[in-house]
Amino acid sequence: MSLRKQAASLAIMHAADVLQPLLILPYAGRVLGPLQFGQYAYALSVGWLAATIVEYGFHWTAQRAAASARHEPAVIASLFAEVAATKAILCFVVTLAGVAAPDGLLAVSKPMFLCAMLTSVGGILFPTWLFIALERAWQAAVAVVVGRSLALVCFLTMVTSSAQIELAVAIQSSIPLVAGLVSLPFIVPIGFSGFRAVTPSTVGMQLRNGWRGFLFTLVERLFVTLPVPLVEHFAGYVAAGHYSIAEKFVSATRPFSEPCAKRFCPESHIARTTTRKLGSF
């Protein structure tokens, strides 16, 4: 795949990830109501925090390893199987911890927490990192667009009252799961043969290799998803819902505002001037 097609595929994936939640917002806010919408936003944030732990930064470490070995099918198959097995173990541990957590620690019911964990389950089946590393991002883009579109249709047709909040969380959280099922025909020939070689030692190796990427991803995600649970803790579900709406619109404009900020802010100008002066010595 050419660099242009790879970039276009990644842009399509990003656009789908940004636009689909924005299209759902007006309908979800009207149907669920302020209180239930806040619960919905809170549950999705908890699901994303759990998914961050399950992902364990493999979209950095495993993607780099797969890119360097993309012409070695056996290595790719083993890497995919080891990462998938490691994610499955992490998903089981996180799910068990969430279910066993004492009442009050998570401000959602156990069934709603399990619905939110569908994001993590889908992350096991849908290896975006592998598609990008193998320069097959268009396959990941197709799966994401299908998953987002199906979730949008199901949300608009199936969620009709505030009593269906768990269904709303399940539909939105199942997008990676649907994307994984769509991409399964592409993944089976690539990586399923590697499961024969998965051992506890290879899983431990992946945990050791991925911890730096995990820490980086965890800090990055915390700044995005943690404020919603914090707002709920201090101000309640309604305020958390309002914050979630504002944050989604800010996230949607960030790809356009960040280049402008980097270009026009004084600090950026000073940094560029300093770099040029240092380079002249």
Side-chain angles (χ1 to χ4, degrees):
M1 175 181 281
S2 67
L3 180 60
R4 182 178 297 178
K5 291 182 179 179
Q6 185 89 340
S9 300
L10 294 176
I12 291 172
M13 290 173 56
H14 177 73
D17 288 337
V18 170
L19 291 177
Q20 189 261 359
L22 290 180
L23 293 175
I24 282 179
L25 277 180
Y27 180 81
R30 179 171 61 84
V31 171
L32 296 178
L35 179 61
Q36 282 74 17
F37 181 82
Q39 293 176 340
Y40 165 81
Y42 179 91
L44 291 183
S45 297
V46 170
W48 270 110
L49 289 174
T52 302
I53 299 174
V54 174
E55 285 180 9
Y56 202 71
F58 286 127
H59 64 282
W60 295 110
T61 56
Q63 181 176 313
R64 181 175 58 185
S68 62
R70 61 178 176 270
H71 300 301
E72 303 176 55
V75 176
I76 294 297
S78 297
L79 179 63
F80 167 77
E82 291 167 6
V83 170
T86 306
K87 284 186 174 183
I89 293 173
L90 291 172
C91 184
F92 175 78
V93 172
V94 172
T95 303
L96 187 64
V99 172
D103 294 337
L105 183 61
L106 293 177
V108 291
S109 63
K110 296 298 190 293
M112 193 179 299
F113 170 76
L114 293 177
C115 290
M117 284 300 298
L118 289 174
T119 300
S120 299
V121 176
I124 300 172
L125 294 179
F126 184 49
T128 310
W129 59 270
L130 183 60
F131 287 119
I132 296 174
L134 298 181
E135 298 182 354
R136 301 169 69 172
W138 69 270
Q139 294 173 338
V142 169
V144 169
V145 170
V146 171
R148 289 282 180 184
S149 301
L150 184 60
L152 177 62
V153 172
C154 290
F155 200 104
L156 297 179
T157 57
M158 299 174 65
V159 180
T160 58
S161 70
S162 59
Q164 297 173 304
I165 181 173
E166 292 178 1
L167 177 61
V169 173
I171 290 174
Q172 194 67 2
S173 299
S174 63
I175 291 172
L177 183 59
V178 174
L181 294 176
V182 172
S183 64
L184 207 56
F186 305 129
I187 293 297
V188 170
I190 296 175
F192 269 59
S193 61
F195 282 101
R196 293 193 294 266
V198 175
T199 63
S201 62
T202 58
V203 171
M205 179 188 66
Q206 290 299 329
L207 290 173
R208 290 192 299 272
N209 292 342
W211 71 270
R212 291 182 178 86
F214 168 65
L215 288 180
F216 177 82
T217 306
L218 181 63
V219 172
E220 186 181 44
R221 289 277 181 87
L222 284 177
F223 280 106
V224 177
T225 56
L226 189 59
V228 174
L230 289 178
V231 171
E232 186 282 328
H233 177 74
F234 290 105
Y237 285 121
V238 176
H242 291 164
Y243 176 88
S244 175
I245 294 174
E247 192 277 328
K248 281 182 172 58
F249 279 100
V250 170
S251 297
T253 60
R254 191 171 291 129
F256 305 98
S257 61
E258 281 186 354
C260 295
K262 291 178 181 178
R263 177 66 182 85
F264 295 111
C265 71
E267 291 82 0
S268 178
H269 175 72
I270 293 171
R272 290 195 303 271
T273 304
T274 304
T275 301
R276 287 197 295 268
K277 288 182 179 179
L278 290 175
S280 63
F281 286 101

